[in-house]
Amino acid sequence: MNIILLGPPGAGKGTQASHLVDDFGMAQLSTGDMLRAARKAGTPLGERVAAVMDSGGLVSDEIVDDLICDKLDSMPDDQGAIFDGYPRTAAQAHSLDKILADRGRTLDFVIELNVDEDALVDRITGRFTCASCGEGYHDRYKLPKVEGVCDNCGSTEFKRRPDDNEETVRTRMAEYRAKTAPILPIYDERGLVRRIDGMQSIDEVTKEIEAIIGKK
Ligand SMILES: [Zn+2]
């Protein structure tokens, strides 16, 4: 089973990917994480990555493809892959076909978590966490039972992420649309795209994803 997970930041992609890792033993191939890991590992590929990043340039498709190949080659043949943050361009989508075919793998599904932009803004801009234990809260949906005191640990310090604001969320949505616009039609044509309402609860989204994968 090889799938691509698509969705804008805040749609819950990371959470869903970790469920798939836990429940199906799949491996998550997140290009952002892989770039950071390669750099840290200091492999020849990692050194190429570091050189590009330090010069402020964009990591080339070739480097990304090499990372994906290395990762797939390190996995057992029967372990499924979840691609996250990749492919981002039509060229990468075509390389992925070749990379998978060379390894006797096929792409089974492209699962897109759809979100309503206004609802996403509402969800993200209201969230805050306990500065001490990290428990998550929300201005409208989940306030501490006692005002200003964490339910979990009793701390009175909370924090908000500076990028949890409307402008950032809308910019990210626009970037997401621009990035997926070139690749979605490729997979739509092949009948691989499944769309899920990402505004449902985490459990409902998980159930739907697992139903899709289970049908295989
Ligand atoms: Zn706490």
Side-chain angles (χ1 to χ4, degrees), residues 130 133 150 152-153:
C130 169
C133 73
C150 175
N152 196 37
C153 74

PDB file of all heavy atoms in Angstrom, residues 130 133 150 152-153, ligand 1:
ATOM      1  N   CYS A 130      -1.179  24.699  27.110  1.00  0.00           N
ATOM      2  CA  CYS A 130      -0.584  24.891  28.423  1.00  0.00           C
ATOM      3  C   CYS A 130       0.929  24.977  28.242  1.00  0.00           C
ATOM      4  O   CYS A 130       1.526  24.144  27.572  1.00  0.00           O
ATOM      5  CB  CYS A 130      -0.939  23.707  29.315  1.00  0.00           C
ATOM      6  SG  CYS A 130       0.020  23.694  30.849  1.00  0.00           S
ATOM      7  N   CYS A 133       2.459  21.610  30.389  1.00  0.00           N
ATOM      8  CA  CYS A 133       2.304  20.207  29.972  1.00  0.00           C
ATOM      9  C   CYS A 133       1.930  20.053  28.502  1.00  0.00           C
ATOM     10  O   CYS A 133       1.909  18.942  27.982  1.00  0.00           O
ATOM     11  CB  CYS A 133       1.266  19.498  30.840  1.00  0.00           C
ATOM     12  SG  CYS A 133      -0.432  19.995  30.490  1.00  0.00           S
ATOM     13  N   CYS A 150      -4.810  25.177  33.956  1.00  0.00           N
ATOM     14  CA  CYS A 150      -4.777  23.970  33.122  1.00  0.00           C
ATOM     15  C   CYS A 150      -5.483  22.812  33.820  1.00  0.00           C
ATOM     16  O   CYS A 150      -5.189  22.511  34.970  1.00  0.00           O
ATOM     17  CB  CYS A 150      -3.333  23.597  32.798  1.00  0.00           C
ATOM     18  SG  CYS A 150      -3.189  22.042  31.890  1.00  0.00           S
ATOM     19  N   ASN A 152      -5.172  19.778  33.242  1.00  0.00           N
ATOM     20  CA  ASN A 152      -4.300  18.618  33.332  1.00  0.00           C
ATOM     21  C   ASN A 152      -3.253  18.735  34.439  1.00  0.00           C
ATOM     22  O   ASN A 152      -3.019  17.794  35.187  1.00  0.00           O
ATOM     23  CB  ASN A 152      -3.628  18.451  31.969  1.00  0.00           C
ATOM     24  CG  ASN A 152      -3.002  17.089  31.785  1.00  0.00           C
ATOM     25  OD1 ASN A 152      -3.546  16.093  32.246  1.00  0.00           O
ATOM     26  ND2 ASN A 152      -1.860  17.067  31.129  1.00  0.00           N
ATOM     27  N   CYS A 153      -2.627  19.928  34.552  1.00  0.00           N
ATOM     28  CA  CYS A 153      -1.497  20.024  35.478  1.00  0.00           C
ATOM     29  C   CYS A 153      -1.600  21.192  36.460  1.00  0.00           C
ATOM     30  O   CYS A 153      -0.738  21.358  37.319  1.00  0.00           O
ATOM     31  CB  CYS A 153      -0.188  20.112  34.699  1.00  0.00           C
ATOM     32  SG  CYS A 153       0.081  21.711  33.922  1.00  0.00           S
TER      33      CYS A 153
HETATM   34 ZN    ZN B   1      -0.931  21.820  31.813  1.00  0.00          ZN
END
